[in-house]
Amino acid sequence: MALIVQKYGGTSVGTVERIQAVAQRVLQTVKGGHRVVVVVSAMGKTTDGLVKLAHDISANPNRREMDMLLSTGEQVTIALLSMALQEAGQPAISMTGTQVGIVTEAEHTRARILSVATDRLERHLQDGKVVVVAGFQGITSLEDLEITTLGRGGSDTSAVALAAALRADCCEIYTDVPGILTTDPRLVPDAHLMREITSDEMLELASLGAKVLHPRSVEIARNYGVMLVVRSSWSDDPGTRVMSPIRQPRPLEGLEIANAVDAIEFDTDQAKIAMLRVPDRPGVAAKLFGEIAQQDLDVDLIIQSIHEGNSNDIAFTVVKNSLNRAEAVAAAIAPVLRNYSDPTTGEAEVLVERQMAKVSIAGAGMIGRPGVAAQMFRTLAAAGVNIQMISTSEVKVSCAIDAADCDRAIAALCREFEVHTSPLKAPGGKADIDIPPVRGAALDLKQARLAIRHVPDRPGMAARVFTLLADRNISVDMIIQSQRCRLIDGTATRDIAFTVAQADADEAKAIFDAAAAELGCGEVIVDQSIAKVSVVGTGMVGKPGVAAKMFDALSKEKINIQMIATSEIKISCVVSEEDGVRALQAVHAAFELSGTERIVVPA
């Protein structure tokens, strides 16, 4: 007899008829010999209506009172679904987050789960009842009983947390799409349904705007080895399985507040090539990395900084035994690129750093914690380690540094993040040719780019910059540090560019305008009209040419790439907002992600 947690979103329980249909689906699962816990959201647009009521009363509603208000939506659903199950002859009981004992931190409207008391749930399950739980909510403690809500994606998070605490065999997320798709079918009609996806891939896609699962729910599944299945509420199709690592012993206390970082990784087999003053126009990155791919050279990190005038800087890392060939390609292409450039900027310059290392912090607990990257940068600065390149993803931050600083950097990071052992990684080898290099593509139209000009080039500046944002709870996505160094009043400086949510852009600019004199930096430039297109796939590791293929697809559409950032399983390009949808369609087609069956998503 399996224990299954099922979660149904607002669309799935939007009407009485749909609640009755959910009851029949739950009943079928019980008749299959399984014990069932059901987590539900508020009906349809109930939460939106409650938010509107609050704003009709107050322009800035008190956050505690918002939690009191919004938590009522799920209570309606749990009672109605319990009634529907009882009417069908199935014993059932509804429970709020308080009644279950879902204890959270004391952060109204955006609380994280600390623990789940399972005793009462297990007693009801042993009595043969289906337990229907209100998602999205908890309490600050079993003494204070202050109601909290979990923020966006809260019901997904509730369901997976319950599955982890109960050690359920499976957590099924029912939604209005048939599973995880290769991209948004509203933008790319021939998006394909994936039968399986890894939790690492799902984390990246979820953070890039795939709305089927919230990153926090995937984080818990990954940490606790929960089997996730995403299925349609309207059919019996098997959906998509999200594959997590094998469950390892892990305390359930601090369930969502576990250590943000659980591994420190390093790689000393790295060398860097930087090309300065490459033309800022479509096709340049495609030409450079196309030539590199033809040499069968695997590239690790790639960054393209913000443009200055009519030119950009592009830097990338390779393993040391590939450096000579990669340098030769870069040197050969530099004069060719000059033909595309403004003659006044001169020929693209090639710089080589032969003794590099990459140090990384990794952990699914980084999600939604703005201060983790800044904490890493502060630690490296305190150890006297200068950062040359930065790469970020949802679960990893990597910095390229001088190889001579590597041991010192590792020791400092292990102390700071209290990491004494790191999970063993499988030894390197040839890439699995059966795994597609790219599993999905995503478009984010809700980001803005900030560029801080002429930041002094010395250890600690990145830490100071991103600590200012973290202190205001502003999350940063892409971070690019320019390769070009410029002397300003005798001080070496570089530009730093990064992306944030559009809603945070004005506040971020105000922070740096106020701190400019203290930081010693120049002007702060904001661009709200950008789009970020990304491809994700664990199969791209060890496969040369994936980045080149993406850049070529954009080049063929005459789409200019403004910024590039990569991690092991993700490549992201910033393009103009007006080119965003076309860019997504181009890369989706280039990697042959299309399916034969048209997916229709309800409005």
Side-chain angles (χ1 to χ4, degrees):
M1 178 184 290
L3 172 57
I4 297 174
V5 176
Q6 296 182 340
K7 179 262 177 177
Y8 295 89
T11 305
S12 302
V13 292
T15 64
V16 168
E17 292 75 22
R18 289 183 177 180
I19 289 174
Q20 291 170 329
V22 166
Q24 289 303 311
R25 186 182 287 275
V26 173
L27 197 57
Q28 287 177 4
T29 307
V30 174
K31 288 179 178 178
H34 306 303
R35 295 180 298 156
V36 183
V37 174
V38 183
V39 177
V40 292
S41 300
M43 294 175 65
K45 300 292 185 181
T46 298
T47 301
D48 293 342
L50 294 173
V51 170
K52 183 179 184 304
L53 286 174
H55 285 282
D56 286 344
I57 295 290
S58 170
N60 186 27
N62 179 276
R63 286 168 57 190
R64 178 190 182 276
E65 303 309 327
M66 284 297 289
D67 279 354
M68 289 290 287
L69 176 66
L70 298 184
S71 63
T72 63
E74 281 72 19
Q75 292 183 47
V76 173
T77 317
I78 59 174
L80 292 175
L81 180 55
S82 293
M83 292 175 190
L85 286 164
Q86 293 163 5
E87 193 68 17
Q90 170 59 46
I93 185 168
S94 62
M95 298 180 72
T96 65
T98 302
Q99 291 170 320
V100 170
I102 298 175
V103 179
T104 75
E105 58 184 351
E107 281 284 343
H108 286 292
T109 72
R110 56 175 183 236
R112 284 178 175 263
I113 297 173
L114 297 175
S115 64
V116 178
T118 60
D119 293 352
R120 192 172 177 186
L121 279 169
E122 288 171 341
R123 285 200 305 271
H124 289 309
L125 288 169
Q126 287 171 3
D127 291 340
K129 295 177 183 175
V130 169
V131 185
V132 185
V133 179
F136 179 65
Q137 60 183 251
I139 49 172
T140 54
S141 72
L142 297 177
E143 292 77 34
D144 293 341
L145 300 180
E146 282 288 320
I147 293 175
T148 55
T149 61
L150 308 182
R152 191 172 71 84
S155 293
D156 287 355
T157 305
S158 299
V160 183
L162 284 168
L166 291 165
R167 290 178 166 78
D169 296 276
C170 181
C171 181
E172 298 177 339
I173 306 293
Y174 286 89
T175 182
D176 53 7
V177 293
I180 308 299
L181 304 174
T182 51
T183 195
D184 187 338
R186 289 164 295 195
L187 303 177
V188 184
D190 57 358
H192 178 59
L193 174 67
M194 292 181 273
R195 292 304 177 191
E196 288 187 354
I197 187 171
T198 68
S199 57
D200 283 341
E201 290 169 329
M202 190 65 243
L203 273 172
E204 296 289 4
L205 288 172
S207 71
L208 293 167
K211 297 176 182 177
V212 178
L213 284 174
H214 192 273
R216 282 170 60 187
S217 65
V218 186
E219 169 195 358
I220 298 171
R222 183 179 184 270
N223 282 342
Y224 290 92
V226 175
M227 170 62 73
L228 269 177
V229 182
V230 180
R231 302 181 63 184
S232 169
S233 298
W234 323 122
S235 75
D236 293 324
D237 293 342
T240 304
R241 292 159 63 96
V242 181
M243 310 299 291
S244 293
I246 296 172
R247 189 192 303 265
Q248 299 293 331
R250 189 181 185 115
L252 286 164
E253 289 298 320
L255 195 144
E256 270 202 285
I257 314 293
N259 289 339
V261 173
D262 55 27
I264 307 296
E265 301 171 358
F266 67 95
D267 182 358
T268 55
D269 188 15
Q270 294 264 306
K272 181 182 79 173
I273 295 176
M275 296 189 68
L276 311 186
R277 295 186 299 277
V278 298
D280 178 36
R281 61 182 60 200
V284 171
K287 187 167 185 62
L288 171 60
F289 290 100
E291 293 291 338
I292 289 172
Q294 285 189 5
Q295 297 296 318
D296 201 33
L297 298 175
D298 191 25
V299 175
D300 185 4
L301 301 180
I302 303 173
I303 63 167
Q304 177 179 299
S305 59
I306 53 172
H307 65 264
E308 185 172 0
N310 295 316
S311 66
N312 290 326
D313 300 339
I314 296 177
F316 58 95
T317 61
V318 295
V319 296
K320 290 176 181 175
N321 66 10
S322 298
L323 177 60
N324 289 340
R325 284 189 295 157
E327 183 183 5
V329 171
I333 204 171
V336 178
L337 295 180
R338 184 176 185 179
N339 296 331
Y340 296 94
S341 187
D342 182 343
T344 62
T345 64
E347 185 175 300
E349 181 181 355
V350 179
L351 300 180
V352 175
E353 294 281 351
R354 298 181 180 277
Q355 300 298 324
M356 298 290 299
K358 181 177 70 173
V359 292
S360 307
I361 57 173
M366 294 184 195
I367 296 169
R369 296 183 186 176
V372 178
Q375 188 178 356
M376 179 188 191
F377 303 154
R378 282 197 304 272
T379 302
L380 294 177
V385 176
N386 198 33
I387 300 169
Q388 298 192 29
M389 295 171 66
I390 298 169
S391 166
T392 59
S393 78
E394 277 299 294
V395 295
K396 183 177 287 191
V397 181
S398 299
C399 295
I401 61 175
D402 286 336
D405 294 335
C406 187
D407 289 346
R408 192 163 72 254
I410 294 166
L413 291 171
C414 285
R415 284 194 302 271
E416 178 68 19
F417 291 103
E418 300 180 357
V419 174
H420 306 294
T421 59
S422 288
L424 289 175
K425 297 177 70 177
K430 290 187 177 180
D432 188 336
I433 59 174
D434 294 327
I435 300 177
V438 170
R439 301 297 310 283
L443 176 67
D444 189 343
L445 292 168
K446 295 183 178 179
Q447 291 209 0
R449 179 181 63 215
L450 279 82
I452 308 176
R453 300 290 192 189
H454 311 316
V455 179
D457 182 31
R458 55 176 177 262
M461 290 309 298
R464 292 176 66 185
V465 166
F466 294 105
T467 297
L468 287 171
L469 295 173
D471 288 346
R472 300 289 282 272
N473 204 37
I474 295 176
S475 293
V476 176
D477 184 13
M478 297 172 70
I479 301 173
I480 306 291
Q481 185 171 258
S482 71
Q483 296 302 296
R484 216 176 307 185
C485 201
R486 173 168 291 186
L487 285 176
I488 303 292
D489 297 329
T491 300
T493 68
R494 298 182 190 273
D495 297 343
I496 294 180
F498 54 91
T499 59
V500 298
Q502 285 179 349
D504 292 330
D506 290 341
E507 183 181 0
K509 184 178 188 306
I511 290 170
F512 290 113
D513 284 342
E518 180 187 347
L519 293 173
C521 62
E523 66 176 327
V524 181
I525 301 169
V526 178
D527 186 353
Q528 299 258 15
S529 301
I530 64 166
K532 184 180 75 170
V533 61
S534 307
V535 294
V536 171
T538 55
M540 68 175 66
V541 177
K543 288 184 181 175
V546 179
K549 192 170 190 176
M550 180 178 186
F551 303 154
D552 183 60
L554 298 177
S555 174
K556 287 176 178 175
E557 292 295 320
K558 302 293 189 292
I559 295 173
N560 194 35
I561 299 172
Q562 299 179 17
M563 292 169 66
I564 300 169
T566 66
S567 66
E568 281 90 340
I569 65 169
K570 178 178 71 174
I571 304 167
S572 295
C573 296
V574 169
V575 300
S576 69
E577 184 178 36
E578 64 182 8
D579 288 334
V581 173
R582 200 157 48 91
L584 176 68
Q585 294 167 343
V587 298
H588 191 270
F591 288 103
E592 300 177 355
L593 300 177
S594 300
T596 56
E597 185 176 339
R598 188 181 181 93
I599 305 294
V600 178
V601 179

